[in-house]
Amino acid sequence: MELAGALQLGELAAAFAALPVFPLFDTAYFIVSVLYLKYEPGAVEMSRKSPFASWLCAMLHCFGSYILADLLLGESPLDYFSNNSSVILATAVWYLIFFCPMNLFYKCVSFLPMKLIFVAMKEVVRVRKIAAGVHHAHHRYHHGWFIMMATGWVKGSGVALMSNFEQLLRGVWKPETNEILHMSFPTKASLYGTILFTLQQTRWLPVSEANLIFFFTMFMIVCKVFMTATHSHASPFAPVESFICPVFFGSVSSGHTSHHHDQHGASHEVSHPPPPPAKSKEELNEGTRKRKAKKAE
């Protein structure tokens, strides 16, 4: 019975890994990506003032991971745009979300139950891209572990890593929102996932690629759907990181904290206006003489 169950699970994983992502899953990926673009402040106004800039931002949201991966591997960043079907599909999704009459298409795809389905389908594409990026880099650099991990990482989270460049196209400059400094859950999960796929590709992880794709996709779907449904930004990796990071990398020193408070204290002191200077004796005597002269008058 256990062997039969393992065989059935293996067949399910193999069938899942062989499932084509175009056009159904790619459409869901484009819908969620362009939805996130529309959520950005000023994105709707920009689409009216400069439709081309809006379209270019949408293409970066849809294909930014492919562009970054091609740059890392020394290939043309425009290679993926030769895929006319995907570009036309992404353009159609962008137009419907931003310019559909009465916002009907946007209201349908942003309806929470529908959105959760699209979010789950997007994670299927994300994991496939990570696996494809690691496999592609392994084909060119058989012993380049870090190249495999870098390629798989940008394939899974290239859009977030290009966020500052995409903001520049919208006329916004927020360097403090750098994804490297403040990693979101998809970026962290893509990093951990690409490590697993690199270990599997180099035969250090004794599991088939199909099984790894299946189980990691299920993990990503459960986490991302739950976070979207509850509007949560808490990372499921936080409890483990809070335990491991202080052990290996140390905690924030108290001196830095006290210095931070000292700076704030100094700023508060400076913010208060200084008291007016005390008057000299000559000024006081002169004021007294003026008051006496007024009384005499």
Side-chain angles (χ1 to χ4, degrees), residues 238-260:
V240 179
E241 291 173 348
S242 63
F243 175 76
I244 293 178
C245 289
V247 175
F248 289 97
F249 306 109
S251 58
V252 179
S253 62
S254 58
H256 175 75
T257 307
S258 62
H259 177 67
H260 182 69

Side-chain angles (χ1 to χ4, degrees), residues 188-244:
K188 282 187 179 180
S190 298
L191 178 59
Y192 299 147
T194 193
I195 294 174
L196 293 177
F197 279 101
T198 300
L199 293 175
Q200 187 278 327
Q201 195 68 234
T202 53
R203 301 293 186 269
W204 283 84
L205 188 64
V207 63
S208 67
E209 185 179 20
N211 285 335
L212 186 56
I213 289 175
F214 177 78
F215 287 112
F216 194 69
T217 302
M218 294 302 108
F219 167 76
M220 291 294 294
I221 288 175
V222 171
C223 292
K224 202 67 174 73
V225 168
F226 176 78
M227 294 173 68
T228 304
T230 58
H231 303 285
S232 173
H233 297 285
S235 172
F237 303 120
V240 179
E241 291 173 348
S242 63
F243 175 76
I244 293 178

Side-chain angles (χ1 to χ4, degrees), residues 22-284:
F22 184 85
L24 192 61
F25 289 92
D26 276 346
T27 303
Y29 184 90
F30 297 152
I31 287 174
V32 177
S33 299
V34 180
L35 272 179
Y36 288 154
L37 171 62
K38 190 167 185 176
Y39 293 156
E40 293 292 335
V44 176
E45 292 78 4
M46 180 190 66
S47 66
R48 303 300 188 269
K49 296 178 181 178
S50 178
F52 177 73
S54 176
W55 174 82
L56 198 57
C57 290
M59 294 303 103
L60 285 180
H61 273 258
C62 295
F63 306 120
S65 56
Y66 298 101
I67 295 173
L68 269 184
D70 288 340
L71 287 173
L72 285 180
L73 296 176
E75 301 174 358
S76 172
L78 298 178
D79 275 350
Y80 195 80
F81 286 89
S82 63
N83 192 342
N84 296 327
S85 301
S86 295
V87 176
I88 292 173
L89 181 59
T91 301
V93 169
W94 162 77
Y95 185 85
L96 289 173
I97 288 179
F98 278 94
F99 302 104
C100 181
M102 300 173 62
N103 258 350
L104 289 178
F105 186 79
Y106 168 75
K107 292 176 181 176
C108 291
V109 298
S110 61
F111 180 55
L112 187 58
M114 290 293 296
K115 184 180 177 181
L116 294 179
I117 295 174
F118 293 139
V119 166
M121 295 172 71
K122 179 180 180 179
E123 296 311 310
V124 174
V125 180
R126 188 196 303 276
V127 177
R128 297 289 188 86
K129 289 163 65 177
I130 295 173
V134 173
H135 186 270
H136 187 190
H138 179 261
H139 180 71
R140 296 189 57 178
Y141 304 93
H142 294 288
H143 303 290
W145 284 36
F146 291 100
I147 299 177
M148 297 180 211
M149 287 188 286
T151 307
W153 187 35
V154 301
K155 271 290 188 79
S157 58
V159 178
L161 296 174
M162 293 183 67
S163 59
N164 289 108
F165 178 71
E166 185 269 334
Q167 288 171 358
L168 283 178
L169 293 178
R170 293 189 283 111
V172 179
W173 174 240
K174 295 180 179 180
E176 69 276 5
T177 61
N178 191 327
E179 189 68 18
I180 302 295
L181 295 175
H182 308 285
M183 288 191 187
S184 59
F185 166 72
T187 304
K188 282 187 179 180
S190 298
L191 178 59
Y192 299 147
T194 193
I195 294 174
L196 293 177
F197 279 101
T198 300
L199 293 175
Q200 187 278 327
Q201 195 68 234
T202 53
R203 301 293 186 269
W204 283 84
L205 188 64
V207 63
S208 67
E209 185 179 20
N211 285 335
L212 186 56
I213 289 175
F214 177 78
F215 287 112
F216 194 69
T217 302
M218 294 302 108
F219 167 76
M220 291 294 294
I221 288 175
V222 171
C223 292
K224 202 67 174 73
V225 168
F226 176 78
M227 294 173 68
T228 304
T230 58
H231 303 285
S232 173
H233 297 285
S235 172
F237 303 120
V240 179
E241 291 173 348
S242 63
F243 175 76
I244 293 178
C245 289
V247 175
F248 289 97
F249 306 109
S251 58
V252 179
S253 62
S254 58
H256 175 75
T257 307
S258 62
H259 177 67
H260 182 69
H261 287 307
D262 290 344
Q263 285 183 336
H264 278 283
S267 64
H268 286 307
E269 290 176 4
V270 172
S271 63
H272 292 296
K279 293 183 178 181
S280 62
K281 291 183 178 180
E282 290 80 8
E283 292 175 344
L284 292 174

